[in-house]
Amino acid sequence: YNIASSPVLCGDRIIQCCDQEKESFIAALDKTTGDVSWRVSRPGMASQFATPLVITVDGKPQIVVNGQTVIAYDPADGREIWTCRGMRPNVTPSAVAADDRVYAVSGRNGPALAIDPRGAGDVTETHVRMQVSSGGPYVPSPLALAAGLLLPGDDGRIQLIGVDGNVRCSLRIPGHY
């Protein structure tokens, strides 16, 4: 496999996550010149395909990348702000955010997490606000709503997961996506 993430714009920088079989990294490039502003290694992140998410927390931007470990980076220098473990390998869905929560899911019926992004360091034990052990899609990204998380499954199942982690409703549409 090779890079599958889309670039995102954060201020005057283009952020590209380059997770691949060897030497995975995330980089920021000047949007005008293309010069590399910073580049940070992402060891152990092969087969992660999520596009970075740009959020603002307490007035400061963060770049959140879903992966086997969800990581928030400082867009100024690429420094890790916080990390959260709990996803399965081969993460394709991108993280989404609503109401001061970052939602991360991992596929093949994997877990879904709601993370409070106001932490620092490893926040796995301190900032996870909702956790669902299964139902995550392999490819499609979820949709964050004020009511919780709209979680599409690969088998046509769609669930609305409340902010408390309980399934509010579930339905199935024909086909596989």
Side-chain angles (χ1 to χ4, degrees), residues 76-132:
D77 56 14
R79 175 185 55 82
E80 284 186 9
I81 299 170
W82 57 263
T83 64
C84 186
R85 295 172 278 111
M87 297 290 100
R88 288 189 178 167
N90 297 325
V91 176
T92 303
S94 299
V96 295
D99 295 330
D100 296 326
R101 291 178 183 215
V102 170
Y103 292 93
V105 301
S106 65
R108 305 231 162 121
N109 205 28
L113 302 174
I115 306 162
D116 178 345
R118 292 175 289 197
D122 184 346
V123 301
T124 307
E125 302 298 325
T126 59
H127 285 70
V128 173
R129 301 296 180 245
M130 182 271 293
Q131 184 169 3
V132 178

Tab-separated table of all heavy atoms in Angstrom, residues 76-132:
chain	number	residue	atom	x	y	z
A	76	ALA	N	2.086	24.263	14.306
A	76	ALA	CA	3.241	25.163	14.238
A	76	ALA	C	4.543	24.401	14.026
A	76	ALA	O	5.417	24.840	13.285
A	76	ALA	CB	3.330	26.013	15.500
A	77	ASP	N	4.676	23.220	14.689
A	77	ASP	CA	5.963	22.526	14.646
A	77	ASP	C	5.855	20.997	14.555
A	77	ASP	O	6.871	20.306	14.525
A	77	ASP	CB	6.796	22.890	15.872
A	77	ASP	CG	6.085	22.615	17.192
A	77	ASP	OD1	5.048	21.905	17.197
A	77	ASP	OD2	6.561	23.121	18.228
A	78	GLY	N	4.634	20.452	14.536
A	78	GLY	CA	4.458	19.009	14.424
A	78	GLY	C	4.582	18.259	15.743
A	78	GLY	O	4.497	17.028	15.776
A	79	ARG	N	4.723	18.982	16.826
A	79	ARG	CA	4.834	18.347	18.138
A	79	ARG	C	3.527	17.629	18.478
A	79	ARG	O	2.446	18.129	18.230
A	79	ARG	CB	5.138	19.422	19.180
A	79	ARG	CG	5.166	18.974	20.621
A	79	ARG	CD	5.349	20.156	21.574
A	79	ARG	NE	4.350	21.206	21.412
A	79	ARG	CZ	3.123	21.177	21.959
A	79	ARG	NH1	2.750	20.155	22.689
A	79	ARG	NH2	2.291	22.176	21.773
A	80	GLU	N	3.643	16.427	19.075
A	80	GLU	CA	2.451	15.708	19.527
A	80	GLU	C	1.852	16.440	20.724
A	80	GLU	O	2.550	16.737	21.685
A	80	GLU	CB	2.789	14.272	19.946
A	80	GLU	CG	3.022	13.346	18.791
A	80	GLU	CD	3.214	11.891	19.226
A	80	GLU	OE1	2.996	11.557	20.419
A	80	GLU	OE2	3.597	11.089	18.368
A	81	ILE	N	0.544	16.688	20.651
A	81	ILE	CA	-0.155	17.319	21.769
A	81	ILE	C	-0.747	16.233	22.663
A	81	ILE	O	-0.561	16.249	23.867
A	81	ILE	CB	-1.261	18.265	21.267
A	81	ILE	CG1	-0.650	19.380	20.418
A	81	ILE	CG2	-2.065	18.825	22.443
A	81	ILE	CD1	-1.669	20.229	19.690
A	82	TRP	N	-1.485	15.309	22.045
A	82	TRP	CA	-2.069	14.196	22.786
A	82	TRP	C	-2.162	12.971	21.887
A	82	TRP	O	-2.129	13.087	20.660
A	82	TRP	CB	-3.427	14.547	23.397
A	82	TRP	CG	-4.496	15.017	22.450
A	82	TRP	CD1	-4.823	16.309	22.175
A	82	TRP	CD2	-5.378	14.206	21.670
A	82	TRP	NE1	-5.853	16.349	21.263
A	82	TRP	CE2	-6.215	15.068	20.941
A	82	TRP	CE3	-5.545	12.836	21.511
A	82	TRP	CZ2	-7.202	14.617	20.061
A	82	TRP	CZ3	-6.525	12.377	20.633
A	82	TRP	CH2	-7.338	13.259	19.933
A	83	THR	N	-2.255	11.807	22.533
A	83	THR	CA	-2.440	10.542	21.820
A	83	THR	C	-3.530	9.745	22.538
A	83	THR	O	-3.762	9.932	23.735
A	83	THR	CB	-1.156	9.691	21.793
A	83	THR	OG1	-0.806	9.320	23.133
A	83	THR	CG2	0.002	10.439	21.152
A	84	CYS	N	-4.187	8.877	21.780
A	84	CYS	CA	-5.209	8.010	22.361
A	84	CYS	C	-5.157	6.656	21.661
A	84	CYS	O	-5.309	6.573	20.433
A	84	CYS	CB	-6.586	8.642	22.214
A	84	CYS	SG	-7.894	7.709	23.046
A	85	ARG	N	-4.931	5.620	22.425
A	85	ARG	CA	-4.869	4.260	21.897
A	85	ARG	C	-6.274	3.661	21.809
A	85	ARG	O	-7.211	4.171	22.418
A	85	ARG	CB	-4.009	3.383	22.811
A	85	ARG	CG	-2.556	3.803	22.847
A	85	ARG	CD	-1.749	3.042	23.902
A	85	ARG	NE	-1.953	3.687	25.220
A	85	ARG	CZ	-2.618	3.144	26.224
A	85	ARG	NH1	-3.142	1.939	26.127
A	85	ARG	NH2	-2.753	3.796	27.362
A	86	GLY	N	-6.415	2.581	21.045
A	86	GLY	CA	-7.676	1.864	21.050
A	86	GLY	C	-8.252	1.514	19.699
A	86	GLY	O	-9.232	0.784	19.616
A	87	MET	N	-7.664	2.015	18.629
A	87	MET	CA	-8.158	1.678	17.302
A	87	MET	C	-7.511	0.375	16.818
A	87	MET	O	-6.476	-0.039	17.323
A	87	MET	CB	-7.838	2.789	16.301
A	87	MET	CG	-8.497	4.123	16.605
A	87	MET	SD	-10.289	4.135	16.374
A	87	MET	CE	-10.856	3.955	18.050
A	88	ARG	N	-8.133	-0.249	15.841
A	88	ARG	CA	-7.556	-1.446	15.224
A	88	ARG	C	-6.592	-1.042	14.113
A	88	ARG	O	-6.611	0.101	13.657
A	88	ARG	CB	-8.677	-2.291	14.621
A	88	ARG	CG	-9.511	-2.977	15.661
A	88	ARG	CD	-10.431	-3.953	15.005
A	88	ARG	NE	-11.198	-4.646	16.027
A	88	ARG	CZ	-12.250	-5.372	15.765
A	88	ARG	NH1	-12.684	-5.511	14.529
A	88	ARG	NH2	-12.893	-5.972	16.738
A	89	PRO	N	-5.775	-1.982	13.634
A	89	PRO	CA	-4.920	-1.687	12.472
A	89	PRO	C	-5.771	-1.423	11.227
A	89	PRO	O	-6.954	-1.727	11.198
A	89	PRO	CB	-4.102	-2.969	12.302
A	89	PRO	CG	-4.213	-3.693	13.592
A	89	PRO	CD	-5.529	-3.304	14.192
A	90	ASN	N	-5.150	-0.880	10.208
A	90	ASN	CA	-5.794	-0.583	8.923
A	90	ASN	C	-6.937	0.406	9.080
A	90	ASN	O	-8.084	0.124	8.771
A	90	ASN	CB	-6.301	-1.853	8.242
A	90	ASN	CG	-5.183	-2.792	7.901
A	90	ASN	OD1	-4.092	-2.347	7.562
A	90	ASN	ND2	-5.429	-4.074	7.995
A	91	VAL	N	-6.620	1.590	9.565
A	91	VAL	CA	-7.631	2.618	9.800
A	91	VAL	C	-7.778	3.478	8.548
A	91	VAL	O	-6.829	4.126	8.119
A	91	VAL	CB	-7.264	3.489	11.013
A	91	VAL	CG1	-8.260	4.612	11.193
A	91	VAL	CG2	-7.196	2.623	12.261
A	92	THR	N	-8.972	3.468	7.985
A	92	THR	CA	-9.272	4.278	6.815
A	92	THR	C	-10.151	5.479	7.150
A	92	THR	O	-9.933	6.562	6.629
A	92	THR	CB	-9.947	3.424	5.725
A	92	THR	OG1	-9.083	2.331	5.411
A	92	THR	CG2	-10.196	4.224	4.474
A	93	PRO	N	-11.181	5.340	8.005
A	93	PRO	CA	-12.053	6.489	8.276
A	93	PRO	C	-11.283	7.658	8.893
A	93	PRO	O	-10.404	7.464	9.726
A	93	PRO	CB	-13.070	5.940	9.278
A	93	PRO	CG	-13.040	4.461	9.105
A	93	PRO	CD	-11.638	4.136	8.727
A	94	SER	N	-11.648	8.854	8.483
A	94	SER	CA	-11.061	10.056	9.068
A	94	SER	C	-11.787	10.395	10.362
A	94	SER	O	-12.969	10.102	10.515
A	94	SER	CB	-11.179	11.222	8.087
A	94	SER	OG	-10.477	10.929	6.900
A	95	ALA	N	-11.079	11.018	11.288
A	95	ALA	CA	-11.699	11.502	12.514
A	95	ALA	C	-12.628	12.657	12.166
A	95	ALA	O	-12.411	13.380	11.187
A	95	ALA	CB	-10.626	11.951	13.504
A	96	VAL	N	-13.668	12.833	12.971
A	96	VAL	CA	-14.607	13.943	12.821
A	96	VAL	C	-14.790	14.585	14.188
A	96	VAL	O	-14.440	13.983	15.213
A	96	VAL	CB	-15.958	13.478	12.228
A	96	VAL	CG1	-15.778	12.977	10.793
A	96	VAL	CG2	-16.604	12.392	13.081
A	97	ALA	N	-15.331	15.802	14.217
A	97	ALA	CA	-15.470	16.491	15.497
A	97	ALA	C	-16.809	17.214	15.590
A	97	ALA	O	-17.346	17.683	14.585
A	97	ALA	CB	-14.334	17.498	15.674
A	98	ALA	N	-17.331	17.282	16.809
A	98	ALA	CA	-18.533	18.055	17.130
A	98	ALA	C	-18.589	18.270	18.630
A	98	ALA	O	-18.215	17.377	19.404
A	98	ALA	CB	-19.793	17.320	16.668
A	99	ASP	N	-19.041	19.443	19.034
A	99	ASP	CA	-19.273	19.737	20.447
A	99	ASP	C	-18.102	19.362	21.353
A	99	ASP	O	-18.253	18.629	22.326
A	99	ASP	CB	-20.556	19.050	20.927
A	99	ASP	CG	-21.786	19.595	20.227
A	99	ASP	OD1	-21.767	20.775	19.847
A	99	ASP	OD2	-22.751	18.839	20.064
A	100	ASP	N	-16.921	19.826	21.023
A	100	ASP	CA	-15.722	19.606	21.834
A	100	ASP	C	-15.355	18.140	21.995
A	100	ASP	O	-14.775	17.744	23.016
A	100	ASP	CB	-15.866	20.259	23.214
A	100	ASP	CG	-15.972	21.775	23.118
A	100	ASP	OD1	-15.330	22.340	22.211
A	100	ASP	OD2	-16.675	22.386	23.934
A	101	ARG	N	-15.686	17.329	21.015
A	101	ARG	CA	-15.288	15.919	21.011
A	101	ARG	C	-14.741	15.565	19.646
A	101	ARG	O	-15.247	16.011	18.628
A	101	ARG	CB	-16.480	15.004	21.297
A	101	ARG	CG	-16.989	15.113	22.700
A	101	ARG	CD	-18.179	14.233	22.914
A	101	ARG	NE	-18.675	14.442	24.271
A	101	ARG	CZ	-19.187	13.505	25.006
A	101	ARG	NH1	-19.309	12.284	24.542
A	101	ARG	NH2	-19.597	13.760	26.220
A	102	VAL	N	-13.711	14.737	19.655
A	102	VAL	CA	-13.189	14.147	18.424
A	102	VAL	C	-13.676	12.709	18.413
A	102	VAL	O	-13.509	11.982	19.398
A	102	VAL	CB	-11.647	14.190	18.392
A	102	VAL	CG1	-11.109	13.364	17.238
A	102	VAL	CG2	-11.158	15.630	18.306
A	103	TYR	N	-14.297	12.313	17.312
A	103	TYR	CA	-14.772	10.944	17.162
A	103	TYR	C	-13.821	10.209	16.227
A	103	TYR	O	-13.518	10.685	15.132
A	103	TYR	CB	-16.183	10.916	16.580
A	103	TYR	CG	-17.238	11.453	17.520
A	103	TYR	CD1	-17.623	12.781	17.471
A	103	TYR	CD2	-17.841	10.611	18.448
A	103	TYR	CE1	-18.591	13.269	18.333
A	103	TYR	CE2	-18.814	11.095	19.313
A	103	TYR	CZ	-19.185	12.423	19.245
A	103	TYR	OH	-20.145	12.902	20.101
A	104	ALA	N	-13.355	9.056	16.679
A	104	ALA	CA	-12.473	8.216	15.877
A	104	ALA	C	-13.068	6.816	15.818
A	104	ALA	O	-13.572	6.312	16.825
A	104	ALA	CB	-11.072	8.175	16.492
A	105	VAL	N	-13.037	6.216	14.638
A	105	VAL	CA	-13.548	4.855	14.465
A	105	VAL	C	-12.521	4.053	13.679
A	105	VAL	O	-11.741	4.604	12.919
A	105	VAL	CB	-14.925	4.824	13.742
A	105	VAL	CG1	-15.951	5.623	14.518
A	105	VAL	CG2	-14.831	5.354	12.329
A	106	SER	N	-12.515	2.748	13.900
A	106	SER	CA	-11.660	1.904	13.075
A	106	SER	C	-12.457	0.716	12.591
A	106	SER	O	-13.371	0.245	13.260
A	106	SER	CB	-10.393	1.466	13.803
A	106	SER	OG	-10.653	0.647	14.899
A	107	GLY	N	-12.098	0.289	11.430
A	107	GLY	CA	-12.962	-0.573	10.657
A	107	GLY	C	-12.933	-2.047	10.915
A	107	GLY	O	-12.306	-2.536	11.847
A	108	ARG	N	-13.668	-2.683	10.007
A	108	ARG	CA	-13.914	-4.105	10.098
A	108	ARG	C	-14.580	-4.425	11.421
A	108	ARG	O	-14.146	-5.268	12.179
A	108	ARG	CB	-12.636	-4.892	9.880
A	108	ARG	CG	-11.988	-4.521	8.550
A	108	ARG	CD	-11.654	-5.714	7.729
A	108	ARG	NE	-11.449	-5.298	6.348
A	108	ARG	CZ	-10.349	-5.468	5.669
A	108	ARG	NH1	-9.322	-6.063	6.206
A	108	ARG	NH2	-10.277	-5.082	4.430
A	109	ASN	N	-15.651	-3.611	11.698
A	109	ASN	CA	-16.455	-3.767	12.898
A	109	ASN	C	-15.671	-3.426	14.165
A	109	ASN	O	-15.869	-4.008	15.222
A	109	ASN	CB	-17.065	-5.165	12.986
A	109	ASN	CG	-18.311	-5.181	13.816
A	109	ASN	OD1	-19.016	-4.192	13.920
A	109	ASN	ND2	-18.590	-6.306	14.438
A	110	GLY	N	-14.780	-2.463	14.042
A	110	GLY	CA	-13.939	-2.063	15.165
A	110	GLY	C	-14.602	-1.048	16.073
A	110	GLY	O	-15.788	-0.745	15.946
A	111	PRO	N	-13.838	-0.500	17.002
A	111	PRO	CA	-14.372	0.398	18.015
A	111	PRO	C	-14.617	1.818	17.499
A	111	PRO	O	-14.108	2.218	16.452
A	111	PRO	CB	-13.278	0.399	19.084
A	111	PRO	CG	-12.030	0.127	18.337
A	111	PRO	CD	-12.420	-0.801	17.222
A	112	ALA	N	-15.386	2.563	18.286
A	112	ALA	CA	-15.601	3.992	18.080
A	112	ALA	C	-15.345	4.688	19.414
A	112	ALA	O	-15.755	4.195	20.464
A	112	ALA	CB	-17.027	4.261	17.606
A	113	LEU	N	-14.648	5.817	19.356
A	113	LEU	CA	-14.314	6.576	20.561
A	113	LEU	C	-14.709	8.033	20.390
A	113	LEU	O	-14.611	8.578	19.292
A	113	LEU	CB	-12.805	6.553	20.823
A	113	LEU	CG	-12.089	5.226	20.993
A	113	LEU	CD1	-10.586	5.466	21.101
A	113	LEU	CD2	-12.605	4.501	22.213
A	114	ALA	N	-15.121	8.662	21.477
A	114	ALA	CA	-15.244	10.114	21.544
A	114	ALA	C	-14.169	10.582	22.508
A	114	ALA	O	-14.099	10.115	23.644
A	114	ALA	CB	-16.626	10.529	22.028
A	115	ILE	N	-13.318	11.482	22.049
A	115	ILE	CA	-12.165	11.929	22.824
A	115	ILE	C	-12.292	13.422	23.084
A	115	ILE	O	-12.549	14.201	22.160
A	115	ILE	CB	-10.854	11.651	22.045
A	115	ILE	CG1	-10.771	10.180	21.632
A	115	ILE	CG2	-9.640	12.084	22.859
A	115	ILE	CD1	-9.776	9.908	20.515
A	116	ASP	N	-12.087	13.818	24.327
A	116	ASP	CA	-12.010	15.235	24.670
A	116	ASP	C	-10.599	15.697	24.268
A	116	ASP	O	-9.607	15.213	24.830
A	116	ASP	CB	-12.231	15.401	26.175
A	116	ASP	CG	-12.111	16.836	26.646
A	116	ASP	OD1	-11.592	17.703	25.905
A	116	ASP	OD2	-12.533	17.104	27.781
A	117	PRO	N	-10.486	16.631	23.305
A	117	PRO	CA	-9.161	17.012	22.798
A	117	PRO	C	-8.421	18.044	23.646
A	117	PRO	O	-7.426	18.597	23.200
A	117	PRO	CB	-9.494	17.585	21.417
A	117	PRO	CG	-10.840	18.197	21.596
A	117	PRO	CD	-11.562	17.282	22.563
A	118	ARG	N	-8.871	18.272	24.868
A	118	ARG	CA	-8.230	19.282	25.708
A	118	ARG	C	-7.123	18.714	26.582
A	118	ARG	O	-6.592	19.415	27.435
A	118	ARG	CB	-9.274	19.981	26.571
A	118	ARG	CG	-10.218	20.840	25.727
A	118	ARG	CD	-11.294	21.422	26.548
A	118	ARG	NE	-12.198	20.323	26.927
A	118	ARG	CZ	-13.426	20.488	27.375
A	118	ARG	NH1	-13.902	21.684	27.537
A	118	ARG	NH2	-14.171	19.452	27.677
A	119	GLY	N	-6.732	17.467	26.352
A	119	GLY	CA	-5.698	16.855	27.170
A	119	GLY	C	-4.303	17.028	26.597
A	119	GLY	O	-4.091	17.686	25.577
A	120	ALA	N	-3.349	16.392	27.268
A	120	ALA	CA	-1.957	16.388	26.826
A	120	ALA	C	-1.371	15.018	27.139
A	120	ALA	O	-1.758	14.377	28.118
A	120	ALA	CB	-1.160	17.479	27.531
A	121	GLY	N	-0.447	14.570	26.294
A	121	GLY	CA	0.160	13.258	26.486
A	121	GLY	C	-0.810	12.149	26.125
A	121	GLY	O	-1.709	12.334	25.310
A	122	ASP	N	-0.654	11.000	26.738
A	122	ASP	CA	-1.541	9.861	26.491
A	122	ASP	C	-2.839	10.085	27.255
A	122	ASP	O	-2.858	10.056	28.483
A	122	ASP	CB	-0.878	8.559	26.921
A	122	ASP	CG	-1.701	7.317	26.597
A	122	ASP	OD1	-2.909	7.437	26.273
A	122	ASP	OD2	-1.144	6.213	26.672
A	123	VAL	N	-3.932	10.312	26.527
A	123	VAL	CA	-5.225	10.611	27.149
A	123	VAL	C	-6.178	9.412	27.147
A	123	VAL	O	-7.353	9.557	27.467
A	123	VAL	CB	-5.906	11.826	26.467
A	123	VAL	CG1	-5.020	13.064	26.563
A	123	VAL	CG2	-6.272	11.520	25.021
A	124	THR	N	-5.661	8.235	26.819
A	124	THR	CA	-6.496	7.042	26.695
A	124	THR	C	-7.325	6.786	27.948
A	124	THR	O	-8.509	6.462	27.862
A	124	THR	CB	-5.630	5.806	26.374
A	124	THR	OG1	-4.821	6.082	25.230
A	124	THR	CG2	-6.483	4.584	26.111
A	125	GLU	N	-6.743	6.932	29.102
A	125	GLU	CA	-7.429	6.633	30.360
A	125	GLU	C	-8.147	7.840	30.961
A	125	GLU	O	-8.941	7.677	31.887
A	125	GLU	CB	-6.430	6.075	31.384
A	125	GLU	CG	-5.707	4.817	30.924
A	125	GLU	CD	-6.650	3.648	30.679
A	125	GLU	OE1	-7.649	3.515	31.416
A	125	GLU	OE2	-6.383	2.867	29.741
A	126	THR	N	-7.895	9.034	30.440
A	126	THR	CA	-8.424	10.237	31.090
A	126	THR	C	-9.418	11.045	30.264
A	126	THR	O	-10.213	11.795	30.835
A	126	THR	CB	-7.265	11.176	31.470
A	126	THR	OG1	-6.543	11.519	30.276
A	126	THR	CG2	-6.333	10.516	32.482
A	127	HIS	N	-9.376	10.959	28.926
A	127	HIS	CA	-10.177	11.858	28.106
A	127	HIS	C	-11.115	11.156	27.124
A	127	HIS	O	-11.700	11.817	26.265
A	127	HIS	CB	-9.259	12.824	27.355
A	127	HIS	CG	-8.708	13.906	28.234
A	127	HIS	ND1	-7.773	13.656	29.203
A	127	HIS	CD2	-8.977	15.228	28.304
A	127	HIS	CE1	-7.468	14.771	29.826
A	127	HIS	NE2	-8.190	15.751	29.304
A	128	VAL	N	-11.264	9.856	27.220
A	128	VAL	CA	-12.241	9.157	26.375
A	128	VAL	C	-13.607	9.349	27.026
A	128	VAL	O	-13.814	8.956	28.170
A	128	VAL	CB	-11.896	7.660	26.214
A	128	VAL	CG1	-13.021	6.927	25.485
A	128	VAL	CG2	-10.580	7.515	25.456
A	129	ARG	N	-14.524	9.964	26.302
A	129	ARG	CA	-15.849	10.292	26.834
A	129	ARG	C	-16.934	9.327	26.386
A	129	ARG	O	-18.021	9.313	26.947
A	129	ARG	CB	-16.240	11.723	26.443
A	129	ARG	CG	-15.276	12.775	26.952
A	129	ARG	CD	-15.280	12.802	28.477
A	129	ARG	NE	-14.363	13.819	28.976
A	129	ARG	CZ	-13.279	13.563	29.683
A	129	ARG	NH1	-12.956	12.312	29.978
A	129	ARG	NH2	-12.509	14.540	30.109
A	130	MET	N	-16.647	8.546	25.360
A	130	MET	CA	-17.597	7.550	24.880
A	130	MET	C	-16.798	6.465	24.174
A	130	MET	O	-15.830	6.752	23.491
A	130	MET	CB	-18.593	8.194	23.904
A	130	MET	CG	-19.670	7.270	23.358
A	130	MET	SD	-19.239	6.382	21.839
A	130	MET	CE	-19.126	7.673	20.638
A	131	GLN	N	-17.195	5.213	24.393
A	131	GLN	CA	-16.508	4.111	23.732
A	131	GLN	C	-17.537	3.051	23.362
A	131	GLN	O	-18.347	2.640	24.186
A	131	GLN	CB	-15.448	3.508	24.647
A	131	GLN	CG	-14.646	2.426	23.975
A	131	GLN	CD	-13.431	2.031	24.804
A	131	GLN	OE1	-13.219	2.517	25.903
A	131	GLN	NE2	-12.644	1.140	24.261
A	132	VAL	N	-17.499	2.648	22.092
A	132	VAL	CA	-18.337	1.568	21.583
A	132	VAL	C	-17.373	0.520	21.051
A	132	VAL	O	-16.475	0.833	20.276
A	132	VAL	CB	-19.273	2.075	20.465
A	132	VAL	CG1	-20.107	0.951	19.893
A	132	VAL	CG2	-20.156	3.197	20.977
